[in-house]
Amino acid sequence: MRKKIVAGNWKMNMTTAEATALVNALKEDLANFRDVEVVLCPPFTALATVSELVHDTHLDLGAQNMHWAKNGAYTGEISAGMLRELYCHYVILGHSERRQYFGETDAIVNRKTQAALASSLHPIVCVGETLQEREAGKVEEVITTQVQGSLAGLSAKELLDSVIAYEPVWAIGTGKTATSDQAQEVHALIRQILTKAYDATVAQGVRIQYGGSVKPSNAKELFSMPDIDGGLIGGAALDAKSFIDIVRAAV
Ligand code: PEP
């Protein structure tokens, strides 16, 4: 039985003061909540603050990106070890905004994924097609390429330590959500790809989140689909009440 996981991707939002207010509001409701795994992914500058605020709760901490190298001359970058030092347990990798604006390829995402796992961080590996690709009937081809490329070389244990986030690019920050049937279809496809690459038991054990304009009003229906194991939430994660309602919809 896969435990549902809901992660909030705050993107480039929240000063440390704003982060403190948001986490304190979340803690009022979710500090002792165990039914769903809840991960907060603030920007790098708020990680230390949020880490302190959540250390005595069941809320978990994640980052939004990292470099694959352990250290060195990579100005502006952050390593897995630095994230671990702040008690981060998750890291989002290959988000479509990283792929689109920062040129991240499947090969880069794969190097980062391997590096995260080597440092005992759980990668949340994002995949998803653009609207153009969907309209051209290329969903299966694009998702297969991204899943195989981003997760290349992972052992079964490493795969089970990872989370996959299916985020159709056309649904991110647009208010357009995939219908629960559209999302379920791609989640089932991802499980089928993993069954071929590993086996059915491994594929059934991997958690696959849906992301793309998840709101309190659509979360329950999405999360009730058989292959959807929670959500990666952007805009709605910045508002305490919305995020709490989404987390509770995953029970
Ligand atoms: C995201 O950025 O991962 C995301 C799903 O954003 P939103 O919920 O705002 O569409």
Side-chain angles (χ1 to χ4, degrees):
M1 185 62 184
R2 302 180 297 265
K3 185 169 186 175
K4 292 246 189 337
I5 174 166
V6 175
N9 173 14
W10 298 0
K11 311 194 187 190
M12 196 172 71
N13 296 294
M14 296 279 153
T15 61
T16 50
E18 290 165 343
T20 302
L22 176 57
V23 176
N24 282 334
L26 295 175
K27 278 168 71 172
E28 278 181 29
D29 198 82
L30 298 176
N32 298 313
F33 186 71
R34 294 160 187 262
D35 299 352
V36 175
E37 212 170 320
V38 181
V39 185
L40 307 180
C41 303
F44 290 138
T45 48
L47 277 174
T49 302
V50 175
S51 182
E52 287 229 345
L53 289 167
V54 301
H55 92 273
D56 58 346
T57 73
H58 284 96
L59 297 166
D60 218 327
L61 186 66
Q64 299 173 19
N65 183 30
M66 54 166 256
H67 196 270
W68 61 77
K70 281 199 167 76
N71 57 271
Y74 297 101
T75 302
E77 293 290 334
I78 299 271
S79 72
M82 292 168 183
L83 298 179
R84 289 284 304 172
E85 189 186 27
L86 295 175
Y87 303 101
C88 259
H89 294 127
Y90 287 88
V91 60
I92 300 170
L93 295 175
H95 189 279
S96 67
E97 287 151 16
R98 302 283 328 160
R99 292 174 185 264
Q100 189 182 348
Y101 304 130
F102 301 97
E104 290 198 8
T105 59
D106 291 329
I108 291 173
V109 177
N110 183 243
R111 282 185 87 170
K112 293 183 175 196
T113 302
Q114 305 251 13
L117 289 160
S119 288
S120 304
L121 277 171
H122 300 288
I124 298 177
V125 180
C126 304
V127 297
E129 81 287 354
T130 62
L131 185 57
Q132 216 182 1
E133 289 163 341
R134 175 165 281 265
E135 285 175 349
K138 290 188 173 162
V139 175
E140 184 169 344
E141 180 188 327
V142 170
I143 297 299
T144 304
T145 302
Q146 289 184 354
V147 168
Q148 289 176 343
S150 304
L151 303 173
L154 265 56
S155 67
K157 177 178 184 310
E158 287 174 329
L159 183 71
L160 289 165
D161 280 340
S162 308
V163 176
I164 298 173
Y166 168 58
E167 299 207 305
V169 179
W170 48 272
I172 297 179
T174 58
K176 280 187 201 158
T177 324
T179 64
S180 49
D181 287 336
Q182 280 173 322
Q184 165 58 27
E185 196 183 351
V186 180
H187 283 235
L189 165 69
I190 294 171
R191 243 182 256 293
Q192 206 185 335
I193 298 166
L194 298 177
T195 304
K196 275 196 204 141
Y198 296 83
D199 59 40
T201 313
V202 172
Q204 286 302 323
V206 179
R207 292 184 295 179
I208 309 175
Q209 297 175 309
Y210 169 78
S213 298
V214 177
K215 304 180 271 272
S217 57
N218 59 24
K220 188 123 210 137
E221 196 184 332
L222 285 159
F223 298 165
S224 66
M225 301 309 280
D227 287 300
I228 300 184
D229 306 312
L232 181 53
I233 319 300
L238 300 173
D239 176 75
K241 184 173 181 324
S242 298
F243 190 65
I244 290 165
D245 287 349
I246 290 169
V247 168
R248 290 196 171 274
V251 177

